[in-house]
Amino acid sequence: MAAFNPGFAEPQRGGDLVHIYSQFPPHFNSGIKSGATLYAGASNIFVGLVEINENFEAEPYLAKSWEISDDGLSYTFHLEEGTEFHDGTPVTSKDVAFSLFVSKENHPFGPSMFGAVDRIDTPDDHTVVIRLKNPHPALLYSVCIPLLPILPEHVYGPDNGPIRDNPANIQAIGSGPFKMVEYVPGKSYILERNENFMRPGQPYLDRYIGIKNSSASGSVIALSQGQAHGWSFVGDPHTVDRLRKEENLFVTSQGYQGIGETAFIEFNLRKKYTGDPKVRQAIAYAIDDDFITQKMHLGVTSKATGPIHSSSPFYTAEVNQYAVDLEKANQLLDEAGYARQDNGMRFTLNLTYQPGVDWEQKNIAEYMKPQLKKIGIDINLVPPADFQDWYQQVAAWDHDMTANNNFSWSDPVIGVYRMVMSTNIKNRVWTNTSGYINMEVDRLLNAAAVETDMQKRRDLYVEFQKILAQDLPVYFTVQSNFHSAYNKELMNTPTGIYGAIGAMHSVYWKNGKAP
């Protein structure tokens, strides 16, 4: 995996890595739940069949090699022999098969990652053959760490009760580079080196320690003073700016390509005004994305053009990008028949926002109120009481517009389809809550999901992005470009597409201990 500092020829063993997290994982079973901080811990406890490098290519991990059949319907993985779980039990092909079906049935991305799986053959302890109902070019991304942890069936299987209630979700047992030692809910957890890790000599660190931060300022101070050594998923531009000024830290935006976070304004297409495409386009023309990215966000964020992040090989900028044009916006509203009234306003729209990410969600929503007033749209801000209040409002389709964000993950099948497919209109956030229905979009995405020719697949996604930029069920505002901060003496920190939530098996201290 790529790293900001490849380090020395002879990595040093020893030392603890204390990593700060703004949120805290409820458990570590990433086979049944998603979440950045959950993945960060799980990636160090469990292994996946493969890892994905900075070029979106699969590299061996538990699977030392694999073959794909000519028809794309069969993937045969050969496992590293002699691999053991933390309790000393051998890892076998049956554990892999068990883990995949756990994810398929329980994980939020399960249907998109593994819906194409027909069956899994395990001809011997170290061979796994995944049989597909149809080609699934996203499969290698789906079986990587952090998305598919290999769970020990004898610990997580049905003989141990419902998997969501299994105490091993917290006192986790995997075969990864570190073993669970201590978990203090909402505060900290401690993982220690797995001396029997399948890669001899790794991991180099003695312990990986996750701690919940008290505040952004407190985190900066802890890193500056050496009380902590890493902090990921830092998005607030002012905090990133502060971290860059700390001489003992290296700050990078690498390691998030596979996450692909974009912020957007979602329109409820069931409502009179937001259901009108000319209104949605007028709002897009009224928003000054350059002002948001350069002034509000200090250049830390960048303009988003659609649901596929610019780091993806399927991204295209060849879409209507709606450069700010108030004259055009007013013209569209006039054409739509929404004349200005005596007070200068045409109509009122309610706008809510996801709480907890103020710099991205609340601040953009607040910016829109005076900005849309310029084109005669009166914005009624609806601040949510808390996350649950906001979630329930959007899930009930009770909003006109909401500011939200989405992780597109490594392949559009995993993170993008859920937002726009007509078959995924649900009363649940991070589904197609806009109510968007476009049969051509469905056709393009269904075709891309089974297309194994990379160029043909990309062409389908390019056409999809062009249509979505015209229809605008959601208007994408910025790519948030998360950052990680590490102590400069920490070597070989991973910055592949999942670096921020990847395994730390190759990380080490320059002098074998924290400074």
Side-chain angles (χ1 to χ4, degrees):
M1 305 297 286
F4 84 80
N5 186 341
F8 300 100
E10 294 295 332
Q12 305 296 303
R13 285 172 67 89
D16 296 344
L17 168 55
V18 179
H19 203 290
I20 298 171
Y21 293 101
S22 299
Q23 298 177 333
F24 201 77
H27 59 74
F28 299 96
N29 189 348
S30 55
I32 63 174
K33 185 176 175 62
S34 66
T37 52
L38 184 155
Y39 283 143
S43 292
N44 287 294
I45 297 171
F46 301 98
V47 299
L49 285 176
V50 302
E51 292 184 286
I52 307 295
N53 68 21
E54 67 276 14
N55 297 316
F56 284 79
E57 299 165 337
E59 294 184 343
Y61 200 18
L62 178 61
K64 60 184 179 182
S65 63
W66 57 89
E67 299 95 38
I68 305 172
S69 63
D70 291 341
D71 60 7
L73 297 178
S74 176
Y75 285 65
T76 302
F77 295 91
H78 306 283
L79 308 185
E80 289 282 1
E81 298 182 15
T83 306
E84 295 182 349
F85 289 111
H86 297 154
D87 62 2
T89 305
V91 178
T92 73
S93 55
K94 294 187 183 301
D95 294 302
V96 174
F98 166 76
S99 301
L100 190 147
F101 283 113
V102 164
S103 179
K104 181 179 180 179
E105 296 170 6
N106 294 277
H107 195 279
F109 308 156
S112 57
M113 292 195 298
F114 302 120
V117 175
D118 182 33
R119 72 180 193 276
I120 300 178
D121 297 332
T122 54
D124 59 57
D125 283 350
H126 301 105
T127 305
V128 179
V129 185
I130 300 178
R131 310 283 187 183
L132 303 176
K133 293 176 284 188
N134 50 259
H136 181 36
L139 183 66
L140 284 176
Y141 296 120
S142 302
V143 299
C144 75
I145 198 71
L147 297 181
L148 180 65
I150 304 307
L151 309 169
E153 184 175 13
H154 69 281
V155 174
Y156 292 91
D159 291 346
N160 299 286
I163 193 166
R164 292 189 180 278
D165 299 328
N166 194 313
N169 292 337
I170 291 177
Q171 297 301 322
I173 297 175
S175 57
F178 296 92
K179 300 185 294 185
M180 169 58 65
V181 173
E182 178 182 283
Y183 175 86
V184 181
K187 185 178 179 181
S188 65
Y189 62 85
I190 299 175
L191 311 179
E192 69 178 17
R193 179 194 294 125
N194 173 16
E195 297 288 358
N196 297 317
F197 185 49
M198 63 184 182
R199 294 186 174 177
Q202 293 187 358
Y204 303 115
L205 298 170
D206 290 334
R207 299 192 302 176
Y208 180 88
I209 301 171
I211 61 173
K212 172 74 169 64
N213 73 343
S214 56
S215 66
S217 295
S219 296
V220 174
I221 292 171
L223 289 167
S224 175
Q225 296 180 349
Q227 298 165 351
H229 316 114
W231 185 18
S232 300
F233 285 88
V234 184
D236 187 311
H238 295 277
T239 303
V240 173
D241 189 55
R242 288 184 61 189
L243 290 169
R244 285 172 171 167
K245 296 174 182 176
E246 295 294 331
E247 293 184 358
N248 69 322
L249 300 180
F250 177 85
V251 182
T252 177
S253 61
Q254 292 296 305
Y256 296 94
Q257 305 95 305
I259 295 166
E261 199 264 11
T262 52
F264 57 85
I265 302 298
E266 177 189 282
F267 301 101
N268 188 343
L269 306 191
R270 306 167 188 84
K271 299 294 184 74
K272 174 183 177 180
Y273 299 116
T274 49
D276 188 328
K278 288 191 174 181
V279 170
R280 302 195 297 272
Q281 291 168 2
I283 290 173
Y285 277 119
I287 297 173
D288 188 342
D289 296 300
D290 288 338
F291 177 81
I292 295 174
T293 59
Q294 301 305 310
K295 301 297 184 182
M296 293 174 61
H297 294 164
L298 308 179
V300 171
T301 64
S302 56
K303 178 176 172 56
T305 63
I308 296 180
H309 196 276
S310 62
S311 64
S312 169
F314 301 113
Y315 170 80
T316 181
E318 300 302 315
V319 301
N320 189 347
Q321 296 194 21
Y322 296 93
V324 61
D325 188 338
L326 297 181
E327 182 178 346
K328 178 69 172 178
N330 276 303
Q331 178 186 337
L332 284 166
L333 293 174
D334 289 339
E335 291 174 358
Y338 305 117
R340 290 182 184 267
Q341 303 173 37
D342 292 341
N343 63 357
M345 295 296 102
R346 304 173 189 269
F347 51 80
T348 300
L349 293 176
N350 292 329
L351 172 61
T352 187
Y353 50 85
Q354 180 191 164
V357 197
D358 286 358
W359 64 272
E360 182 186 71
Q361 307 297 333
K362 179 182 178 181
N363 293 359
I364 290 178
E366 291 177 339
Y367 156 81
M368 289 178 61
K369 183 175 177 66
Q371 190 68 6
L372 295 192
K373 186 177 181 179
K374 298 174 183 177
I375 61 171
I377 298 178
D378 181 28
I379 292 296
N380 176 38
L381 282 177
V382 185
D386 51 29
F387 181 85
Q388 191 64 23
D389 176 49
W390 169 79
Y391 188 102
Q392 290 176 347
Q393 182 182 164
V394 176
W397 310 335
D398 198 28
H399 59 300
D400 291 333
M401 300 187 295
T402 183
N404 194 4
N405 67 350
N406 182 61
F407 289 3
S408 54
W409 296 105
S410 51
D411 192 283
V413 168
I414 300 172
V416 174
Y417 283 40
R418 55 183 173 164
M419 294 180 57
V420 295
M421 291 288 284
S422 66
T423 53
N424 203 43
I425 297 175
K426 299 179 180 180
N427 294 109
R428 194 163 70 227
V429 176
W430 293 296
T431 63
N432 185 356
T433 45
S434 68
Y436 178 58
I437 300 175
N438 185 316
M439 293 298 104
E440 178 62 8
V441 164
D442 284 3
R443 185 194 71 79
L444 288 168
L445 294 185
N446 284 328
V450 298
E451 179 56 66
T452 55
D453 183 286
M454 180 65 173
Q455 186 57 53
K456 291 180 180 179
R457 193 169 188 236
R458 186 179 189 281
D459 291 344
L460 291 166
Y461 285 131
V462 166
E463 187 61 27
F464 154 67
Q465 289 169 82
K466 290 179 178 179
I467 293 174
L468 209 70
Q470 187 65 30
D471 289 354
L472 288 185
V474 297
Y475 177 65
F476 290 86
T477 52
V478 302
Q479 296 182 160
S480 295
N481 301 338
F482 290 119
H483 284 68
S484 297
Y486 296 106
N487 189 288
K488 285 184 176 179
E489 294 198 21
L490 198 62
M491 303 288 103
N492 226 31
T493 54
T495 54
I497 70 167
Y498 285 128
I501 50 176
M504 298 290 180
H505 50 70
S506 62
V507 176
Y508 63 93
W509 285 107
K510 179 178 179 180
N511 297 310
K513 62 180 180 179

